[in-house]
Amino acid sequence: MRRYVEEWTLGITDITDRVREVCAAVSGRADVSGLLPVERPYPLTGDIMETIGADAGQRE
């Protein structure tokens, strides 16, 4: 727990207003792509892929 709090947590950001904006846009069937961060595939090593049961087609 100490490492999580003192080393791994770099910051905490309140995104309440952004979530409300996205929720309203989704409810109104608007395009929300400009409101959300760009998603990138997370690179997986062979060992991790095997551990989580991912197939090679999921690798970038």
Side-chain angles (χ1 to χ4, degrees):
M1 181 63 98
R2 182 195 61 74
R3 288 186 72 194
Y4 178 79
V5 172
E6 295 176 7
E7 298 175 28
W8 298 342
T9 303
L10 302 178
I12 298 173
T13 303
D14 181 358
I15 61 168
T16 303
D17 291 337
R18 174 55 61 105
V19 171
R20 288 182 177 141
E21 183 180 5
V22 171
C23 181
V26 168
S27 294
R29 299 189 185 273
D31 177 16
V32 296
S33 59
L35 299 174
L36 302 173
V38 175
E39 292 188 46
R40 307 182 306 262
Y42 189 85
L44 300 176
T45 64
D47 290 345
I48 292 174
M49 289 176 62
E50 184 177 333
T51 299
I52 66 171
D55 64 41
Q58 294 172 309
R59 181 184 246 173
E60 186 177 342

